Amino acid sequence: MEQSWRANAPDVISETIDGETIILHLGNGFYFSAGGAGAQAWSLLSQAVPVQATAAVLSRYYETEGVDVEAAVADFVDQLNMEGLLVPADGAAVPDAAGAQTRVAWEPPSLSKFTDMEDLLLLDPVHEVSPAQGWPYAASNGGAA
């Protein structure tokens, strides 16, 4: 049986807006953007749909003639695992079998990492904020509010 994955909850949360998926790793303060077919791939992979089934779904939505979609999805999974965004799932999910009416040009799944908000995302809004200023201002006495 092929390995399936799920989002590393509760440390990892995500939201898709206008076709772009933003993934937050609350454990380390990094955030990511899934580009190309990455938004749709993340949606499937993070819900325990195996690589092969994810590749099959993407092949129905994108023009993939001559493209090794399964290898592209496997590479994407490697990136997600390296960043701690996915963990092994106990079982496998079955994706919706519906296909796209009009297929669009293939863009491989990609993952962009951003570290510019690490301090803000790791700030505990209950315990580590300035009593005078509130969140998102850190307490000046080493974290005690």
Side-chain angles (χ1 to χ4, degrees), residues 37-111:
Q40 194 170 12
W42 168 260
S43 174
L44 295 163
L45 293 165
S46 66
Q47 296 180 53
V49 175
V51 169
Q52 188 175 27
T54 297
V57 169
L58 295 179
S59 294
R60 289 194 299 268
Y61 283 90
Y62 294 94
E63 294 289 343
T64 59
E65 188 173 330
V67 174
D68 188 347
V69 177
E70 194 169 332
V73 173
D75 289 344
F76 188 58
V77 167
D78 289 344
Q79 290 178 310
L80 295 167
N81 280 324
M82 188 170 50
E83 297 296 346
L85 301 175
L86 292 177
V87 294
D90 292 333
V94 178
D96 179 12
Q101 297 293 349
T102 304
R103 293 169 61 181
V104 297
W106 169 252
E107 290 183 51
S110 63
L111 188 67

